[in-house]
Amino acid sequence: MVRGESLYSPLLALPDWALELPFTYPPFAALLFTSLTALPTQLCWGLLALAAAPSLYFVLRPFADRAHLPVLLLGAFALQPVWQTIGLGQVNLVLMAAVVADMFLLRDSRFRGIAIGIVAAIKLIPLIFIVHLLVVRRFADAARAMAAFLGVTAFAMLVLPGDSMRYWTSAIFNSHFAATKGWVGNQSWQAFVARTLPDGPAAAVVIVAFSAVFAALGMWLVHRLHRAGDDRAALLVTAGCSLLLSPISWTHHWVWVVPALGLLAARGHRGGAVAIAVLFTGWTVAVVPGGGGAERDWTFVEAIVGNAYLIVVLLAGILCLPRRITIYTPGQRSSFFVVRRVLSTFSRVKQKKRQDARDPGDDADEIGDVGAERRHDRPGSDDDPERLPGDDHEAADEEGEQADSGRGEQYPIHGDHAPGSHSTPTAMSTPNSKVGNR
């Protein structure tokens, strides 16, 4: 751009040691990166490497306990997404830190949302975090994020009108992506389909249909987690959706595994955190054949290993969904039980009429029926055939849920006593507690 050349043509200013890769970011990213041309290339690379540690620290603060923070911070550099981001001079860690800071560290600032908009203008996939703001009902933040995104994009159009027009009309569908979509280093859903199914209409249908399902379930899960006061897990669900839905999710894009490990450790799942950390050290990509279409000839075991990053996210979603489905909010529970009781009363009245029609003269039976009906109407009666399990503790459940919703944002930023943390006393410690056993 400094030399006046097009960003989306073959790059003539590349140094001899650089690979001939195309520029695939929006024009605003080029404007932002141009400031680095005042420094030698290797020094810029070193600055990005030095930014890794503070970026990881700010990312881990809202997700990890203080006791785990030093170990997680050091151990993160053994994860492939982290060391590969540093080795390739990528900006993934910095962008992730900006999103996390906007969501948690700047929560009381009048500028919240702006960082997410700027990050989305650098890489388009973070636009999903604006949708996240809408789902969690932070409408003002979403408006500021969209305004920031449109503002800096419009600025880039004014400075680079030709490149902007070319990017938004053709370069955004870069042929480089299509050629490398099935490579093992790409861990997106589209890459999985490209490695598994032959190209054609069937593959396109599978990509579109399942992407729509992932997006719908993911945003529904974000909504449920937010209602339960678990905004940290909700943000990780959105990040996982971005990795699934993006056409290209290189292994160095998966830096969101770092806060996920922090949250697992904070909630006492240290064994699971260690297992996932080992999986993300990079060996899964190295031990399977890759490149030149070799991925299409994988055995079943190689397919499991080669798609490990993707499978971890899908399994996490499958394990999380049932818990969200079975949890009612107090309002939903009240409505549910009102409807159930109305229907059960109507059913008993119809049954009484049928019995009267069969034996209208039997006074003793009629008295017995009335007595049975009164027993059924008595709260907590064991004779009620339509009584649902847990009705006896309905009030206790609702009180517990109201307490949960009231605690939603009362945990400190370090997560020492975050919801679900191993240090938080729960109702599970009380024997036969229906509230705790929800």
Side-chain angles (χ1 to χ4, degrees), residues 50 59 340 380:
L50 289 175
V59 166
R340 185 192 66 79

Side-chain angles (χ1 to χ4, degrees), residues 14 41 48 65 83 101 122 126 135 148 172 193 198 207-208 238 274 282 295 325 333 342 378 403 407 429 431:
L14 287 175
T41 302
L48 280 176
D65 289 343
W83 57 254
I122 297 174
V135 172
I172 191 174
V193 175
I207 290 173
V208 173
T238 301
V274 171
E295 293 84 356
I325 291 174
R333 290 182 63 87
V342 170
R378 191 161 57 246
R407 289 196 305 264
S429 61

